[in-house]
Amino acid sequence: MALPKSQVLAMDTGPALEGDRLGPALFAAVSKALDPVFMASWPSQSSASSRFFEDVLAGDEDATDALAQKFTPEVLSGLCQGALARARAPAAQLRLWELRADRGREGSWAEHVAALHQLERHGFSGGQKGFQEFEAVLSLHCQKDPALEAERRAVQEILDLRVLDAQVAKAEKQPGAHGVTLRQCYEVIESSLAEWLSEDKWRELLAAAQKEDGPPVRIARGVIRAASDDLTGRQARSLGVDSATLGAVYGHFCSVDPFLASRSAHLQEQIMQLSKKLTAEFPTPAAQPALAAQPQKAPKSGYKEQSEVEVLVHIDRDLNLFSKFKLPGGSTGTAVKEKVASFNAMGAAVFQLCLPSGRALGDKDLVTDGMELDVRDG
């Protein structure tokens, strides 16, 4: 941007070069200029970025022209439209939020965009290099085709990390944040993962469990609950809130950032695995007979069976542990129990599933889409 104005980039201190490497000050300036956030800001700096790709990243101008001649505006338009459709998919948006959370991985944003455009399938190089080639070619064609430039901008805008930044800034100012930032939420989750997965924590849990009497599952759940309450309390105090408020803060930010929700779910899964591992450390009663397959209740006349039904099972509401999974349409309570038993190390005789009303789910009860259940000792 300074080049056409004949401006010279000035540095406060330090040489431009140290041997064959950039000096620290210049290296920092160049790194900042090439940050993915800068790349995502092209809609407001399109002419400058076009020159940048044409003159620097794309390399030889003749090679760029030759590559550009292989693509018609119609083909490039199709690439843009396909990328736009794929960028709207939940998985692509989740990946974008992940990139926002970890901007330190060089080239990751460009590689994500290249994958959305499916550039390798159309003759470009792979990864970040293919993205650079594509931008140079697209820039040349956009100079003659305003419609193509509009499509290019649409893709850039949906992948603009600054849009996500603005959503986060807005969420952090809302009452639901309670003065906590999204970055602090990530720090708490990552520190929680590190603590739960440490050898010291495992020895602590095992020692606590050895002091208790009762069914192994109940012991494990009690020990995990106590450890979770302690950890949550410490984390909440470090942020200046109480435990209940911290849970509300996570709910607030998870509704904005799907990657935070994904990391939170991963943490819950690790805690569930610890509970399962802890249960296995203790002698269990004589094996109970497996749940026998039960016949389904005959559906009422006119009933149209769904191909799949989704069920939400709260393993422990106090710990905010849950599992959401899908079953074939027409499944009964037996199928849900077997699914829960498979990932929670529970025998058929030590738990039951209850509806929000408190009524136990029967083995022959038909499972409906969106059903919500609680695991109860029994």
Side-chain angles (χ1 to χ4, degrees), residues 144-370:
K144 304 175 183 178
D145 191 337
L148 186 59
E149 174 64 23
E151 292 179 339
R152 176 194 191 187
R153 285 176 179 269
V155 177
Q156 291 168 348
E157 287 169 1
I158 200 172
L159 296 171
D160 191 340
L161 296 180
R162 297 174 308 162
V163 174
L164 308 189
D165 292 339
Q167 294 177 26
V168 171
K170 180 180 179 181
E172 289 179 342
K173 294 178 182 178
Q174 293 172 341
H178 293 278
V180 179
T181 66
L182 179 61
R183 179 176 292 277
Q184 288 174 317
C185 289
Y186 274 112
E187 290 171 351
V188 166
I189 284 183
E190 298 309 323
S191 66
S192 296
L193 271 170
E195 181 167 337
W196 279 112
L197 298 179
S198 68
E199 286 298 322
D200 288 343
K201 175 58 71 173
W202 171 247
R203 287 192 290 269
E204 175 190 319
L205 295 173
L206 193 58
Q210 289 170 341
K211 299 176 182 178
E212 303 294 331
D213 293 318
V217 171
R218 191 169 297 173
I219 292 175
R221 291 179 65 187
V223 169
I224 293 290
R225 180 185 292 111
S228 179
D229 288 345
D230 173 67
L231 178 57
T232 302
R234 285 188 279 118
Q235 293 169 335
R237 288 191 294 273
S238 72
L239 298 178
V241 297
D242 58 34
S243 298
T245 301
L246 182 59
V249 168
Y250 271 105
H252 172 70
F253 281 115
C254 284
S255 67
V256 176
D257 182 351
F259 185 62
L260 179 69
S262 173
R263 294 302 292 166
S264 180
H266 176 67
L267 173 60
Q268 294 169 17
E269 178 63 26
Q270 294 304 310
I271 296 173
M272 289 173 61
Q273 291 301 321
L274 268 179
S275 180
K276 182 177 180 179
K277 180 181 177 182
L278 196 59
T279 301
E281 288 289 322
F282 297 91
T284 56
Q288 300 290 333
L291 285 168
Q294 300 288 343
Q296 299 179 11
K297 286 182 179 179
K300 295 180 180 179
S301 177
Y303 171 78
K304 183 178 180 180
E305 184 177 296
Q306 293 176 280
S307 59
E308 278 188 329
V309 290
E310 187 173 72
V311 184
L312 174 62
V313 177
H314 295 279
I315 307 299
D316 192 315
R317 287 184 182 266
D318 292 335
L319 297 179
N320 194 28
L321 297 180
F322 62 88
S323 181
K324 183 182 289 187
F325 50 85
K326 292 183 179 180
L327 294 170
S331 294
T332 63
T334 295
V336 184
K337 289 181 179 179
E338 291 176 342
K339 182 72 173 180
V340 174
S342 70
F343 61 66
N344 218 37
M346 293 181 173
V350 297
F351 79 97
Q352 62 179 346
L353 298 171
C354 295
L355 297 163
S357 64
R359 183 178 71 82
L361 180 71
D363 290 344
K364 297 181 181 181
D365 287 348
L366 201 63
V367 178
T368 58
D369 190 43

Side-chain angles (χ1 to χ4, degrees), residues 35-40 87 90-116 131 158-162 164-165 168 182-183 186 257-260 262-263:
D35 187 272
V37 178
F38 170 80
M39 296 182 184
Q93 287 296 303
L94 176 63
R95 174 63 174 153
L96 198 63
W97 278 97
E98 180 182 1
L99 292 172
R100 183 200 174 274
D102 184 10
R103 284 189 165 113
R105 287 178 287 178
E106 182 180 356
S108 296
W109 184 87
E111 291 173 0
H112 175 55
V113 180
L116 293 176
F131 169 68
I158 200 172
L159 296 171
D160 191 340
L161 296 180
R162 297 174 308 162
L164 308 189
D165 292 339
V168 171
L182 179 61
R183 179 176 292 277
Y186 274 112
D257 182 351
F259 185 62
L260 179 69
S262 173
R263 294 302 292 166

